[in-house]
Amino acid sequence: MGRDRKPPDGELVQGTLDMLILKTLSRGAMHGYGIAQRVQQTSEEVLRIEEGSLYPALHRLELDGMIDSEWGQSENNRRAKYYRLTAAGRKQLTKEANRWRVLMQAIARVMEAS
Amino acid sequence: MKRLLKRLRALVWRRNLDVDLQDEMAFHLAMKADETGDPMAAQRQFGNLSAIKESCRELWMFTSLESWWFDLRFALRTLGRSPTVTWVAIAALALGIGANTTVFTVVSSALSFEMGVEHVERLVMITPGESVRNDPFWPSFVNFRELRAQLKSIEDLAAYRFRPVNLSDSRTFPERYSCVQMTSSAWNLVSRQALLGRHVTPGDERPDAAPVVVLSHRLWQNRYGADHGIVGKTIRIDEVPRTIVGVMPSGIQFPEDTDLWTPLTLPDIITAQQQGELLLFARLKPDIPLAAARTEVDAVARRLAPPSSKPSSGLVADVRPFLELIGVYAGRRILFAVVIAVAFVLLIVCADVANLLLARATERAREISIRVAIGAGRARIIRQLLIESVLLASAGGCGAFLVAIAGLRWFDRISSQGQRPSWVDFSMNGRAFAYLAAVSICAGILFGLAPAFQLAKVDVNSAMKDGGRGAQGGVRGNRLSALLVVFQMALCVVLLAGAGLLIHSSLNWYSAPLGFNASNIMTMRISLPEIKYPHREERISFYTRLKASLESLPGVQAVSIASALPLGGSMRWLGEVEGAPADARHAPDVGSLIVGPDYFRVLQVPLHRGRFFNALDGVTGPQVAVVNESFAAKFWPGQDALGKRFRRFPQGSNEPWFTVAGVIPDIPQTHNRPLQTSPLVYVPYASDPQGAVYVVTRTTVPPQNLFEAARRTVQALDENLPAQELTSLQSRLDRQRLNVSAFSTLFTVFAAVALLLASVGLYAVICQSISRRIQEIGIRMAVGASRRDILKLVLMQGMRHTVFGLAAGLPLAFGLTRVLRGALVGVSPGDPFTFASVVIVLMLASLLGCAVPAYRAIHVDPLVALRFE
């Protein structure tokens, strides 16, 4: 039924969510909440990841073998599921980052042309 | 691959997955609550917790597979909720699919032509051309050799001839078997090796070779009890001792229905120039069309034809597919008709079930619209409904399995009474089972499509508001089911027409004026071997003695012989009538029979003019003959035939004139055509004493009581002579009727089922429309409509379907009943009486179908109807 739902403002460009997650995890293992927090902070509150998209994305990446998961203790002693980048995930991140760069430059050239 | 493994692991540790998800979400919420300090706000921000968990879980699960499983369970529950509809549908489907499977198995088995010949479709026979009346090409052995040397378009040219033989040995009483003498080249066409020993080789054809014989599996089993030491033994075949050199495996009865094979050799069996005995067959070379072979063979045969023959138009020799020799091949049009008929039955069943489902679909509109409202896609709804109908069809298929087994038993029993080819095996095999499964599923999809699309288009809003009656969907559904009923009626017309024509034929057969009294006549066939009875005097003397011995038996009134029995064919004669211009091209074609002195007395044929034969006819004095009414009417119309003369058309030799001594009524001679009369001439036995004849005996006791005595009487005269085909004339006729009566039974059953289903379909549609219109009827009655008006309203609605059905069905029936032509007796495919009966029967059945709803409609209480909601 989600077919005709319009994307609201500030929603992530499709496909970039995976990249953001991989990028965030490239700095080390992290749980879901932490990933959302970090993206929000580094983007200076511009990007917000909704839980409704975050967890399905995490599980899909795990199924695809881009990330691994294991249960651990959080900083405030709670049981949390930590995600970690795999070798395949690292490769994927490089690929997507490159593509992203090319795309951004192309868009920038178009937008800045008089 | 890795993904699949992970998912499988998740399936096994399903509880773990759920717990993990639960924990993960709980952690997130807790962190969020810590951050904001308000657990409720955290919850609100988080959104739909179970939706997130659901979509995560879907990633790990085989959701699509699982949803199939859910749909299946839901379908089972839905079907269980309306058991009557379900059982009626399953029963109808079981009948329809079962009948189809039965017919498929029978027809595919009958047409599989397992003759042990590779590329049987390329096998051809070379026959005399039918289009030339005189000088057709009858090959002699010399011709065969020349053809074999010259023909380029064919390979493995072989010659054979059928020859019934008397087989005697030391084991049991002598019997008659069908023997084929064929050249060793014929064995190149048979694809299988001998089971024991060997088949005939070129070495057996040398003039100094010892006489040999090859046995069929059937003969080996039946007569020799599958004795493995049989090879090397000697048996007597038509009084010639022959060594058994081999036994063929079962299924090899090449060319057809052969018990044993002997080599075709010169000169002890046949002389090199002897014409008219050999049949030639060969295999077309790959990629050579039949027409090309035909041209070549005709051209070569023309050169080989005797120089006396004049050039004539048309083919001298023809090439025809070998399969034409086989009875089933000729009857394939009738088999085709049965296949169409049974397919129609299944279509009618499908239409009926579709109508049942449509009726239920209207009731289910509400359920479906709820499903659509909470997010089920159109595809999902259609899938759900199709699963239901395929499930229904599968249940029907299970029932059909039982129906098919019963049907095949019936066919097996019926066909074993007649003759059937060796390869026919009427049992449930893998192919039949695959067919059954495929038909079940296709039928399920077929009858499921209508309601599925109907419901998938349901307008959610109006359906929910409408209290489930679905005003808009209802009208369309109504139109669709009306169309289905019309379709059923149209198919029903075709089946009724077919059944009507066949019943008519059957009646015609049974009531046909045969012209003789068939009860209490014992018949048997005797074939005197030429080697032992080479002279005409010996043959005449044998039959005179046999007649005397048989007549001395108690219970026997009179005995005679004939070259063919009634409805058993006759020999073709080209005749010449005295005084008429003698032109070979227009020489009249008549049938001839050779009969003994008391033949007409045994058959109790009334004499119209002149006299019957006596014992001296043909022995001394001028040649005399008895002719039938058709003969007299054709050649001497309006005159007295007695004393008139005719003879065989002289071709080279001089033919004697026959004087007509008597005239008898017509007796049908053509096989399976009891109403067909043609000019026939009866010649006394002594004029042309043949070795092989039928012995007919008029008895005062049931004929079967005399079979044993008759056999002993024959063996008392010649201990090596078998009495074959001992049976009564009545049962011979019954066997011929079997064909038409079996087909008419089959079609009648199909048509009856179709009629029942079509009228039930009409009933259902009318019922439904009445219950939808019950308020309208109430209003009509309240404002003064009489019961007659209401009755008219309902009947008009019902009859409209029937009339449309007739309009579509009658032309279709008219076109399709042509296929039945070969099986019809005394009735044409477009018989107006039959078609009129079809209209009446269908009208009556529809009236019956409308009667119950009409009764309900006229007894509607306006008060109740108006309050009905």
Side-chain angles (χ1 to χ4, degrees):
Chain A
M1 280 299 280
R3 199 167 40 157
D4 42 30
R5 203 167 48 176
K6 279 190 186 132
D9 288 339
E11 188 159 290
L12 288 164
V13 182
Q14 215 171 13
T16 48
L17 176 62
D18 288 6
M19 187 177 67
L20 292 180
I21 291 172
L22 292 176
K23 176 75 187 168
T24 312
L25 286 177
S26 70
R27 306 170 53 133
M30 183 65 72
H31 43 68
Y33 179 76
I35 297 171
Q37 287 298 106
R38 178 171 298 281
V39 169
Q40 202 167 332
Q41 281 161 17
T42 22
S43 70
E44 290 165 2
E45 309 287 327
V46 172
L47 297 176
R48 279 205 56 226
I49 302 182
E50 281 185 35
E51 289 82 355
S53 339
L54 173 67
Y55 283 99
L58 280 171
H59 284 267
R60 194 176 52 247
L61 285 169
E62 183 178 358
L63 258 179
D64 288 345
M66 299 294 144
I67 56 180
D68 264 346
S69 70
E70 79 187 335
W71 286 90
Q73 293 293 114
S74 76
E75 37 295 11
N76 45 13
N77 268 343
R78 281 197 175 94
R79 212 170 90 91
K81 198 179 179 189
Y82 280 83
Y83 293 94
R84 168 184 303 115
L85 211 57
T86 63
R90 210 169 285 282
K91 236 192 224 157
Q92 180 72 12
L93 175 61
T94 327
K95 234 162 73 187
E96 296 211 355
N98 282 335
R99 193 181 303 144
W100 176 250
R101 205 167 297 123
V102 170
L103 191 65
M104 281 314 290
Q105 285 166 0
I107 292 173
R109 278 197 296 276
V110 172
M111 296 309 289
E112 282 156 21
S114 50
Chain B
M1 198 58 223
K2 241 165 123 182
R3 231 180 127 117
L4 187 70
L5 267 175
K6 282 186 189 169
R7 281 165 69 170
L8 280 175
R9 207 162 49 215
L11 188 67
V12 177
W13 302 107
R14 183 159 190 173
R15 276 183 53 82
N16 273 14
L17 178 71
D18 282 346
V19 170
D20 278 8
L21 273 169
Q22 181 64 37
D23 285 1
E24 196 173 9
M25 298 303 136
F27 168 74
H28 193 109
L29 270 174
M31 294 295 284
K32 203 139 191 158
D34 285 356
E35 179 197 347
T36 55
D38 178 4
M40 290 312 287
Q43 187 91 44
R44 267 200 306 280
Q45 272 185 22
F46 195 86
N48 189 341
L49 182 70
S50 20
I52 296 175
K53 281 203 297 202
E54 188 58 38
S55 53
C56 287
R57 200 182 293 126
E58 258 179 29
L59 283 172
W60 291 92
M61 308 308 301
F62 299 89
T63 23
S64 56
L65 271 183
E66 275 181 52
S67 72
W68 282 95
W69 171 239
F70 285 131
D71 282 358
L72 198 66
R73 283 203 315 207
F74 185 71
L76 275 175
R77 280 205 306 275
T78 319
L79 292 178
R81 263 207 304 272
S82 37
T84 323
V85 174
T86 307
W87 284 115
V88 167
I90 289 178
L93 285 167
L95 271 180
I97 300 174
N100 263 278
T101 309
T102 310
V103 168
F104 168 80
T105 313
V106 168
V107 171
S108 69
S109 166
L111 293 182
S112 60
F113 302 117
E114 280 296 323
M115 301 196 302
V117 175
E118 279 175 57
H119 303 297
V120 70
E121 72 288 346
R122 267 169 41 208
L123 207 59
V124 292
M125 36 182 186
I126 296 172
T127 63
E130 262 179 14
S131 47
V132 279
R133 284 185 59 94
N134 45 326
D135 302 328
F137 179 65
W138 282 110
S140 65
F141 203 81
V142 174
N143 295 149
F144 160 66
R145 285 182 175 156
E146 288 165 330
L147 282 174
R148 190 165 58 179
Q150 294 183 29
L151 290 176
K152 302 277 183 298
S153 53
I154 55 176
E155 55 193 18
D156 291 329
L157 183 70
Y160 72 101
R161 62 173 184 168
F162 287 108
R163 176 135 282 217
V165 293
N166 298 340
L167 190 163
S168 57
D169 53 33
S170 52
R171 301 202 182 204
T172 172
F173 57 84
E175 270 185 286
R176 187 89 171 161
Y177 288 103
S178 110
C179 174
V180 165
Q181 301 169 336
M182 57 188 191
T183 54
S184 60
S185 51
W187 290 98
N188 296 343
L189 301 167
V190 177
S191 59
R192 293 178 50 199
Q193 289 300 309
L195 183 71
L196 298 175
R198 60 177 178 85
H199 56 62
V200 176
T201 58
D204 297 317
E205 292 177 330
R206 279 205 302 271
D208 57 338
V212 296
V213 59
V214 174
L215 305 186
S216 72
H217 194 263
R218 182 175 63 183
L219 176 65
W220 180 57
Q221 292 252 310
N222 293 348
R223 192 176 173 96
Y224 298 109
D227 177 5
H228 280 263
I230 196 75
V231 173
K233 296 274 164 56
T234 301
I235 53 176
R236 297 174 77 82
I237 289 165
D238 272 355
E239 304 295 327
V240 177
R242 287 178 178 273
T243 309
I244 299 172
V245 292
V247 176
M248 293 308 287
S250 86
I252 301 286
Q253 297 197 329
F254 185 77
E256 190 191 19
D257 217 24
T258 308
D259 293 313
L260 37 87
W261 296 269
T262 56
L264 182 64
T265 51
L266 292 171
D268 55 340
I269 291 173
I270 192 166
T271 62
Q273 280 78 31
Q274 193 174 335
Q275 282 192 324
E277 295 248 13
L278 287 186
L279 298 159
L280 302 184
F281 60 90
R283 185 146 47 201
L284 282 181
K285 282 187 180 158
D287 305 324
I288 301 267
L290 193 63
R294 191 171 273 155
T295 318
E296 191 200 2
V297 168
D298 188 53
V300 175
R302 245 168 236 279
R303 283 203 298 278
L304 300 181
S308 68
S309 63
K310 307 155 211 87
S312 52
S313 58
L315 292 178
V316 170
D318 197 1
V319 180
R320 304 215 322 257
F322 189 77
L323 286 176
E324 277 183 17
L325 204 68
I326 290 161
V328 185
Y329 186 79
R332 64 196 190 286
R333 281 166 73 87
I334 305 294
L335 294 178
F336 178 59
V338 178
V339 170
I340 297 182
V342 80
F344 278 12
V345 172
L346 185 60
L347 283 176
I348 291 175
V349 167
C350 282
D352 229 32
V353 177
N355 250 338
L356 280 176
L357 294 184
L358 266 178
R360 225 183 37 181
T362 336
E363 291 157 27
R364 285 182 67 183
R366 194 180 169 82
E367 168 212 322
I368 300 290
S369 46
I370 291 174
R371 285 173 60 114
V372 171
I374 60 174
R378 201 138 280 178
R380 185 78 195 271
I381 297 285
I382 291 180
R383 192 180 83 184
Q384 164 70 42
L385 291 165
L386 282 185
I387 284 178
E388 264 177 55
S389 43
V390 170
L391 198 65
L392 209 53
S394 309
C398 292
F401 187 72
L402 303 177
V403 172
I405 286 177
L408 285 172
R409 284 234 178 97
W410 182 78
F411 264 107
D412 200 45
R413 214 174 29 125
I414 288 288
S415 65
S416 60
Q417 292 170 25
Q419 279 187 329
R420 63 175 184 193
S422 58
W423 64 80
V424 167
D425 169 30
F426 292 157
S427 60
M428 199 75 188
N429 51 21
R431 206 162 44 153
F433 194 78
Y435 178 82
L436 188 144
V439 166
S440 303
I441 291 171
C442 291
I445 292 174
L446 193 65
F447 67 70
L449 276 178
F453 280 104
Q454 179 71 32
L455 277 180
K457 279 192 200 140
V458 152
D459 178 1
V460 178
N461 275 324
S462 67
M464 302 260 271
K465 271 184 261 160
D466 213 37
R469 271 189 293 142
Q472 190 203 356
V475 170
R476 198 171 26 193
N478 225 10
R479 201 170 298 148
L480 192 58
S481 40
L483 206 67
L484 284 170
V485 167
V486 169
F487 174 68
Q488 282 182 318
M489 293 282 175
L491 295 188
C492 203
V493 168
V494 180
L495 290 177
L496 281 173
L501 289 170
L502 284 168
I503 291 172
H504 205 141
S505 301
S506 211
L507 292 177
N508 279 346
W509 219 128
Y510 281 91
S511 64
L514 296 178
F516 61 93
N517 177 7
S519 63
N520 277 1
I521 291 183
M522 176 175 73
T523 64
M524 65 176 158
R525 191 164 169 76
I526 299 282
S527 307
L528 300 175
E530 216 158 296
I531 274 191
K532 204 166 170 186
Y533 300 87
H535 303 108
R536 42 176 292 150
E537 289 76 20
E538 284 156 333
R539 298 197 283 270
I540 296 175
S541 138
F542 176 85
Y543 286 118
T544 314
R545 278 181 289 141
L546 181 63
K547 179 173 154 73
S549 316
L550 284 173
E551 277 174 345
S552 70
L553 290 174
V556 171
Q557 260 183 357
V559 177
S560 189
I561 52 177
S563 58
L565 294 171
L567 289 143
S570 59
M571 269 181 315
R572 239 182 88 186
W573 247 43
L574 284 185
E576 182 190 351
V577 175
E578 194 178 30
D583 176 3
R585 298 235 175 137
H586 303 104
D589 201 350
V590 298
S592 79
L593 280 101
I594 297 156
V595 298
D598 280 334
Y599 181 68
F600 301 112
R601 228 156 287 148
V602 171
L603 289 187
Q604 296 182 350
V605 178
L607 183 65
H608 277 189
R609 309 256 315 130
R611 63 175 180 88
F612 289 146
F613 294 132
N614 60 41
L616 287 176
D617 284 329
V619 183
T620 58
Q623 297 283 6
V624 293
V626 168
V627 297
N628 67 356
E629 285 288 351
S630 299
F631 194 100
K634 181 168 178 190
F635 298 112
W636 303 289
Q639 304 172 44
D640 188 0
L642 283 189
K644 297 281 194 300
R645 299 210 305 168
F646 65 93
R647 61 175 176 174
R648 298 177 84 142
F649 192 83
Q651 279 168 321
S653 60
N654 199 18
E655 292 284 342
W657 289 99
F658 285 85
T659 309
V660 176
V663 179
I664 57 151
D666 288 333
I667 298 175
Q669 282 296 139
T670 315
H671 193 80
N672 238 328
R673 288 275 172 273
L675 295 175
Q676 187 174 316
T677 55
S678 48
L680 282 175
V681 45
Y682 296 82
V683 173
Y685 180 71
S687 298
D688 187 4
Q690 300 178 339
V693 295
Y694 288 93
V695 177
V696 287
T697 307
R698 166 68 62 187
T699 63
T700 52
V701 294
Q704 53 271 27
N705 296 357
L706 286 169
F707 289 171
E708 210 30 61
R711 193 190 298 280
R712 264 184 274 118
T713 308
V714 173
Q715 251 113 75
L717 292 177
D718 183 339
E719 59 169 351
N720 285 337
L721 194 66
Q724 322 140 36
E725 303 174 32
L726 251 174
T727 180
S728 69
L729 186 57
Q730 191 59 54
S731 65
R732 271 173 187 281
L733 296 179
D734 287 345
R735 201 182 301 163
Q736 283 197 28
R737 285 173 189 151
L738 192 70
N739 227 339
V740 66
S741 68
F743 278 120
S744 70
T745 309
L746 206 59
F747 266 78
T748 309
V749 169
F750 290 167
V753 170
L755 194 63
L756 181 73
L757 290 174
S759 42
V760 165
L762 184 66
Y763 162 80
V765 168
I766 301 297
C767 262
Q768 218 200 323
S769 119
I770 295 297
S771 61
R772 198 177 292 113
R773 291 171 73 181
I774 201 144
Q775 282 175 308
E776 177 202 327
I777 290 170
I779 294 170
R780 280 172 189 263
M781 290 181 93
V783 298
S786 70
R787 289 196 163 163
R788 271 191 60 163
D789 296 332
I790 301 297
L791 191 65
K792 221 170 99 185
L793 183 81
V794 177
L795 289 186
M796 283 292 278
Q797 193 189 355
M799 282 302 138
R800 211 169 49 213
H801 293 108
T802 314
V803 168
F804 280 132
L806 280 170
L810 283 175
L812 193 64
F814 205 73
L816 283 177
T817 46
R818 252 154 243 274
V819 180
L820 289 175
R821 196 184 289 268
L824 297 184
V825 175
V827 55
S828 74
D831 181 46
F833 173 75
T834 306
F835 276 77
S837 323
V838 168
V839 173
I840 292 169
V841 167
L842 196 72
M843 287 284 189
L844 285 178
S846 325
L847 273 179
L848 221 59
C850 297
V852 176
Y855 179 83
R856 265 183 31 201
I858 56 176
H859 286 91
V860 159
D861 181 351
L863 275 177
V864 178
L866 288 173
R867 255 186 255 129
F868 179 86
E869 176 59 23

XYZ file of all heavy atoms in Angstrom, chain B residues 492-533:
319
model
N -24.610 -28.145 -24.761
C -25.580 -29.202 -24.503
C -26.317 -29.581 -25.784
O -26.580 -30.753 -26.037
C -26.557 -28.698 -23.453
S -27.357 -29.979 -22.564
N -26.641 -28.579 -26.585
C -27.330 -28.837 -27.855
C -26.484 -29.765 -28.715
O -26.987 -30.745 -29.285
C -27.589 -27.506 -28.600
C -28.032 -27.777 -30.023
C -28.638 -26.702 -27.867
N -25.175 -29.500 -28.786
C -24.300 -30.330 -29.614
C -24.316 -31.769 -29.114
O -24.466 -32.717 -29.892
C -22.861 -29.775 -29.603
C -21.966 -30.637 -30.452
C -22.845 -28.344 -30.102
N -24.182 -31.933 -27.799
C -24.143 -33.287 -27.245
C -25.472 -34.001 -27.452
O -25.511 -35.188 -27.784
C -23.804 -33.235 -25.758
C -22.370 -32.830 -25.453
C -22.155 -32.724 -23.961
C -21.417 -33.859 -26.030
N -26.554 -33.255 -27.259
C -27.873 -33.860 -27.457
C -28.048 -34.290 -28.908
O -28.581 -35.367 -29.181
C -28.975 -32.868 -27.074
C -29.252 -32.710 -25.576
C -30.237 -31.587 -25.357
C -29.796 -34.003 -25.010
N -27.591 -33.448 -29.818
C -27.733 -33.793 -31.232
C -26.945 -35.062 -31.536
O -27.445 -35.981 -32.194
C -27.252 -32.637 -32.105
N -25.703 -35.120 -31.031
C -24.883 -36.314 -31.254
C -25.547 -37.546 -30.674
O -25.668 -38.584 -31.346
N -26.003 -37.429 -29.435
C -26.643 -38.562 -28.791
C -27.906 -38.955 -29.550
O -28.158 -40.143 -29.784
C -26.971 -38.220 -27.348
N -28.675 -37.950 -29.955
C -29.921 -38.226 -30.675
C -29.657 -38.998 -31.955
O -30.315 -39.997 -32.237
N -28.652 -38.547 -32.704
C -28.341 -39.220 -33.974
C -27.901 -40.661 -33.728
O -28.279 -41.574 -34.460
C -27.245 -38.452 -34.713
C -27.669 -37.106 -35.288
C -26.462 -36.334 -35.787
C -28.656 -37.315 -36.431
N -27.105 -40.856 -32.686
C -26.607 -42.208 -32.425
C -27.702 -43.114 -31.882
O -27.765 -44.297 -32.211
C -25.417 -42.149 -31.476
C -24.138 -41.678 -32.166
C -23.078 -41.348 -31.155
C -23.631 -42.742 -33.125
N -28.599 -42.542 -31.063
C -29.720 -43.351 -30.582
C -30.593 -43.746 -31.768
O -31.003 -44.901 -31.913
C -30.550 -42.557 -29.542
C -29.743 -42.376 -28.263
C -31.844 -43.275 -29.241
C -30.394 -41.458 -27.262
N -30.817 -42.759 -32.625
C -31.583 -43.017 -33.837
C -30.939 -44.158 -34.644
O -31.609 -45.083 -35.098
C -31.606 -41.731 -34.661
C -32.780 -41.629 -35.570
N -33.449 -40.464 -35.795
C -33.407 -42.557 -36.315
C -34.439 -40.679 -36.630
N -34.424 -41.949 -36.959
N -29.612 -44.077 -34.788
C -28.894 -45.112 -35.529
C -29.051 -46.468 -34.871
O -29.281 -47.482 -35.526
C -27.405 -44.785 -35.586
O -27.208 -43.563 -36.197
N -28.939 -46.445 -33.547
C -29.040 -47.686 -32.806
C -30.419 -48.319 -33.015
O -30.538 -49.518 -33.276
C -28.821 -47.368 -31.330
O -28.233 -48.423 -30.678
N -31.437 -47.463 -32.918
C -32.802 -47.966 -33.137
C -32.945 -48.508 -34.550
O -33.519 -49.571 -34.772
C -33.824 -46.851 -32.884
C -33.942 -46.404 -31.433
C -34.929 -45.256 -31.317
C -34.380 -47.570 -30.563
N -32.389 -47.763 -35.496
C -32.463 -48.220 -36.879
C -31.804 -49.584 -37.051
O -32.302 -50.447 -37.746
C -31.751 -47.225 -37.800
C -32.626 -46.043 -38.115
O -33.834 -46.087 -37.869
N -32.032 -44.984 -38.628
N -30.677 -49.730 -36.403
C -29.955 -51.006 -36.500
C -30.826 -52.133 -35.978
O -31.017 -53.155 -36.617
C -28.687 -50.920 -35.653
C -27.460 -51.566 -36.228
C -26.249 -50.973 -36.374
C -27.304 -52.902 -36.711
N -25.365 -51.860 -36.910
C -25.980 -53.044 -37.135
C -28.162 -53.986 -36.833
C -25.467 -54.228 -37.663
C -27.664 -55.170 -37.371
C -26.340 -55.284 -37.783
N -31.399 -51.925 -34.771
C -32.124 -53.016 -34.148
C -33.437 -53.324 -34.874
O -33.913 -54.443 -34.843
C -32.380 -52.725 -32.666
C -31.151 -53.006 -31.839
C -30.210 -52.024 -31.589
C -30.915 -54.288 -31.347
C -29.061 -52.299 -30.858
C -29.778 -54.583 -30.625
C -28.854 -53.572 -30.381
O -27.715 -53.847 -29.673
N -33.999 -52.306 -35.502
C -35.293 -52.551 -36.147
C -35.133 -52.766 -37.643
O -36.114 -52.840 -38.362
C -36.221 -51.358 -35.886
O -35.672 -50.211 -36.493
N -33.886 -52.831 -38.121
C -33.675 -52.961 -39.562
C -34.310 -54.258 -40.076
O -34.165 -55.303 -39.448
C -32.187 -52.959 -39.861
N -35.032 -54.184 -41.194
C -35.607 -55.407 -41.766
C -34.496 -56.211 -42.430
O -34.035 -55.886 -43.509
C -36.612 -54.862 -42.793
C -36.100 -53.511 -43.141
C -35.287 -53.005 -42.000
N -34.009 -57.226 -41.745
C -32.861 -57.964 -42.269
C -33.263 -58.918 -43.390
O -32.440 -59.329 -44.183
C -32.174 -58.737 -41.138
C -31.565 -57.848 -40.056
C -30.944 -58.694 -38.955
C -30.509 -56.922 -40.652
N -34.545 -59.297 -43.412
C -34.987 -60.167 -44.502
C -34.783 -61.641 -44.215
O -35.014 -62.478 -45.082
N -34.313 -61.962 -43.023
C -34.156 -63.376 -42.661
C -34.364 -63.518 -41.162
O -34.422 -62.532 -40.433
C -32.789 -63.908 -43.070
C -31.646 -63.186 -42.407
C -31.091 -63.668 -41.223
C -31.120 -62.019 -42.958
C -30.042 -63.000 -40.611
C -30.073 -61.357 -42.338
C -29.541 -61.844 -41.167
N -34.471 -64.759 -40.715
C -34.692 -65.018 -39.304
C -33.361 -65.412 -38.667
O -32.839 -66.495 -38.918
C -35.737 -66.139 -39.165
C -35.960 -66.502 -37.717
O -35.455 -65.852 -36.811
N -36.725 -67.563 -37.499
N -32.802 -64.521 -37.847
C -31.441 -64.725 -37.340
C -31.403 -65.603 -36.092
O -30.331 -66.051 -35.695
C -30.787 -63.382 -37.037
N -32.539 -65.854 -35.481
C -32.478 -66.614 -34.229
C -32.281 -68.096 -34.535
O -32.691 -68.603 -35.582
C -33.758 -66.392 -33.427
O -34.854 -66.881 -34.163
N -31.640 -68.779 -33.588
C -31.398 -70.219 -33.707
C -30.661 -70.612 -34.977
O -31.037 -71.571 -35.653
C -32.716 -70.994 -33.605
C -33.101 -71.215 -32.150
O -32.380 -70.765 -31.249
N -34.191 -71.893 -31.915
N -29.640 -69.845 -35.306
C -28.765 -70.271 -36.394
C -27.352 -70.384 -35.844
O -26.839 -69.433 -35.245
C -28.806 -69.294 -37.579
C -30.167 -69.361 -38.259
C -27.707 -69.622 -38.595
C -30.296 -68.490 -39.466
N -26.776 -71.578 -36.024
C -25.394 -71.770 -35.602
C -24.503 -71.555 -36.826
O -24.843 -71.973 -37.928
C -25.218 -73.192 -35.070
C -23.781 -73.524 -34.685
S -23.657 -75.148 -33.937
C -23.892 -76.197 -35.366
N -23.399 -70.830 -36.618
C -22.490 -70.613 -37.743
C -21.094 -71.079 -37.359
O -20.707 -71.004 -36.201
C -22.394 -69.119 -38.100
O -21.822 -68.432 -36.991
C -23.732 -68.523 -38.426
N -20.358 -71.580 -38.335
C -18.938 -71.847 -38.126
C -18.233 -71.726 -39.464
O -18.857 -71.737 -40.525
C -18.714 -73.229 -37.514
C -19.116 -74.395 -38.381
S -18.680 -75.923 -37.561
C -19.794 -77.072 -38.361
N -16.929 -71.560 -39.379
C -16.157 -71.416 -40.594
C -15.290 -72.653 -40.777
O -14.690 -73.149 -39.829
C -15.283 -70.177 -40.515
C -14.650 -69.822 -41.834
C -14.119 -68.396 -41.800
N -13.285 -68.149 -42.970
C -13.748 -67.939 -44.191
N -15.057 -67.932 -44.406
N -12.918 -67.731 -45.204
N -15.285 -73.145 -41.980
C -14.454 -74.312 -42.317
C -13.566 -73.907 -43.497
O -14.043 -73.310 -44.453
C -15.329 -75.516 -42.754
C -16.280 -75.952 -41.640
C -14.463 -76.670 -43.211
C -15.635 -76.756 -40.557
N -12.276 -74.205 -43.391
C -11.380 -73.927 -44.515
C -10.649 -75.197 -44.892
O -9.823 -75.695 -44.124
C -10.366 -72.863 -44.114
O -11.035 -71.747 -43.604
N -10.984 -75.698 -46.036
C -10.327 -76.921 -46.485
C -8.970 -76.560 -47.070
O -8.899 -75.763 -47.991
C -11.175 -77.620 -47.558
C -12.582 -78.029 -47.126
C -13.353 -78.603 -48.307
C -12.525 -79.030 -45.988
N -7.877 -77.143 -46.543
C -6.556 -76.809 -47.091
C -6.428 -77.309 -48.529
O -6.857 -78.426 -48.846
C -5.581 -77.530 -46.160
C -6.376 -78.351 -45.253
C -7.823 -78.045 -45.405
N -5.878 -76.493 -49.369
C -5.806 -76.819 -50.788
C -4.991 -78.083 -51.048
O -5.281 -78.859 -51.928
C -5.195 -75.638 -51.545
C -5.819 -75.440 -52.909
C -5.599 -74.023 -53.395
O -6.120 -73.087 -52.763
O -4.896 -73.881 -54.395
N -3.951 -78.286 -50.214
C -3.075 -79.430 -50.425
C -3.832 -80.738 -50.272
O -3.612 -81.697 -50.994
C -1.882 -79.331 -49.447
C -0.819 -78.462 -50.084
C -1.374 -80.684 -49.049
C 0.491 -78.472 -49.390
N -4.790 -80.773 -49.343
C -5.505 -82.019 -49.070
C -6.769 -82.140 -49.934
O -7.230 -83.255 -50.197
C -5.874 -82.069 -47.594
C -6.078 -83.473 -47.062
C -6.105 -83.422 -45.545
C -6.541 -84.764 -44.970
N -6.693 -84.639 -43.516
N -7.332 -81.001 -50.305
C -8.559 -81.027 -51.126
C -8.337 -80.225 -52.403
O -8.928 -79.167 -52.576
C -9.740 -80.430 -50.337
C -10.067 -81.147 -49.063
C -9.425 -80.823 -47.878
C -11.033 -82.155 -49.049
C -9.722 -81.482 -46.700
C -11.340 -82.818 -47.870
C -10.673 -82.475 -46.702
O -10.972 -83.128 -45.533
